[in-house]
Amino acid sequence: MLPPQPIYFPPSKGRYTTTPDLLPITTDFGNGVLDSCLFQLDENTPAFLKNKKHALATHPERHFLREGFDAHTERAVCVLIAERLNTEWPAQFPDADALAAQSFSELCLLFPEDIAIVRRTAERGDWNAALHICAPSHWPPEEKIGKGYAATHEPVPGIERQKAAAPSIVQLFVTRGPFVRFTWGISFDNRLNQHPALEKSPFDPSNLWLRIERQTLFPIPDADAALFAIRLHLYPINGLDTERRTLLSKALDSMSEDARSYKGIAGHFDRIQSVLQ
């Protein structure tokens, strides 16, 4: 039996920020062993696997992309994934060697996380070499494949310093860690796949969700690459206690107008705030 969904609340400081805020993956957030796992298998795992199969069956060109993902890098990625699955979930994945013999795309269907692989070479710099993304938060993976860190994050307001420091940030990703960080936003439904080509749900004050991405970064130094995993967690706004509603309201207030537009809430901001009161 899989454990319940872990609980995270990145707006806990009452402000919105775009800084990396990288923490060691061993950081304790109160969820036991799940906090240090790359792959968080929990009660919602079946829904994630179903979503992956549907996304790949209907629009593979949006959700699984490769560019310069050579055999050496794929092998190193598969070994890392196999070792972590075997270490973290030995009852479900007892044979690491058999896992590592599978392809990257096959392995990605075994766990909830979306995966991006960043490569780096002296000639090209860094780029997104493989994207297996089936639960994007309003961004199109097909427009990010082959792009470097700075270009990938170009649309994000308030991230200018990170883009300027992109080489140093990528150096950190591929040589140190593993790290964990979080991003968050407000969603008008609990649909996992929020690709921008799909119709967005209308605003409904009774159906608002805190959409949190737990992002983990694992270095693959032998391939001069990094594995970037995104695990989505959704919590109903009407299920938050008074303290968290207040902190979320303050964090939303601290967003710039550009950030509110980027997050898709600018036109409904006052109504969202009224729900949180």
Side-chain angles (χ1 to χ4, degrees):
M1 185 175 179
L2 294 175
Q5 174 181 225
I7 304 298
Y8 298 106
F9 190 70
S12 60
K13 296 180 181 179
R15 60 183 175 84
Y16 173 78
T17 177
T18 57
T19 56
D21 292 333
L22 298 175
L23 297 169
I25 199 172
T26 52
T27 302
D28 184 1
F29 295 98
N31 298 293
V33 295
L34 282 180
D35 281 334
S36 61
C37 288
L38 167 56
F39 301 112
Q40 292 187 324
L41 306 187
D42 62 28
E43 60 187 341
N44 294 323
T45 294
F48 277 91
L49 301 187
K50 181 179 179 180
N51 174 69
K52 284 188 177 188
K53 291 179 180 178
H54 180 265
L56 293 167
T58 54
H59 291 286
E61 75 284 358
R62 295 177 185 169
H63 300 290
F64 179 42
L65 306 108
R66 302 160 59 111
E67 181 176 317
F69 189 49
D70 63 5
H72 173 71
T73 304
E74 180 170 8
R75 174 61 182 166
V77 169
C78 291
V79 169
L80 171 61
I81 291 175
E83 289 177 347
R84 294 298 300 195
L85 285 173
N86 175 250
T87 301
E88 296 170 358
W89 304 97
Q92 287 85 354
F93 303 103
D95 191 338
D97 291 337
L99 285 171
Q102 298 185 55
S103 69
F104 171 68
S105 59
E106 290 171 330
L107 288 173
C108 285
L109 295 177
L110 300 178
F111 46 79
E113 286 72 13
D114 280 342
I115 302 292
I117 304 299
V118 176
R119 279 196 67 196
R120 184 179 65 166
T121 65
E123 298 76 19
R124 182 171 177 175
D126 67 282
W127 76 96
N128 299 320
L131 298 177
H132 198 284
I133 308 289
C134 296
S137 296
H138 305 291
W139 60 277
E142 67 272 24
E143 294 183 8
K144 305 298 183 181
I145 190 68
K147 290 187 176 181
Y149 183 89
T152 296
H153 294 86
E154 181 67 34
V156 182
I159 206 168
E160 289 75 16
R161 289 185 180 179
Q162 285 191 56
K163 289 186 288 188
S168 298
I169 293 174
V170 174
Q171 170 72 7
L172 187 68
F173 291 167
V174 302
T175 61
R176 297 177 60 185
F179 298 109
V180 62
R181 67 182 298 269
F182 297 89
T183 65
W184 60 273
I186 304 295
S187 180
F188 299 165
D189 60 39
N190 63 344
R191 187 177 62 203
L192 298 179
N193 185 359
Q194 297 280 6
H195 191 285
L198 301 175
E199 185 176 358
K200 189 174 181 178
S201 295
F203 178 86
D204 177 354
S206 66
N207 193 33
L208 297 180
W209 296 76
L210 180 59
R211 186 180 177 98
I212 292 172
E213 289 185 359
R214 175 186 183 257
Q215 303 176 351
T216 50
L217 300 106
F218 275 70
I220 312 174
D222 291 345
D224 206 9
L227 180 149
F228 181 68
I230 306 170
R231 172 59 201 273
L232 184 64
H233 291 289
L234 288 157
Y235 310 102
I237 296 293
N238 59 17
L240 299 178
D241 59 29
T242 300
E243 180 181 3
R244 287 184 172 176
R245 282 172 173 257
T246 299
L247 290 170
L248 179 55
S249 177
K250 290 181 178 179
L252 290 171
D253 264 336
S254 73
M255 278 186 176
S256 68
E257 289 293 334
D258 286 343
R260 294 173 191 176
S261 295
Y262 176 74
K263 289 289 186 177
I265 63 172
H268 306 282
F269 186 80
D270 291 340
R271 288 192 287 176
I272 293 172
Q273 288 287 41
S274 68
V275 171
L276 293 171
Q277 303 310 312

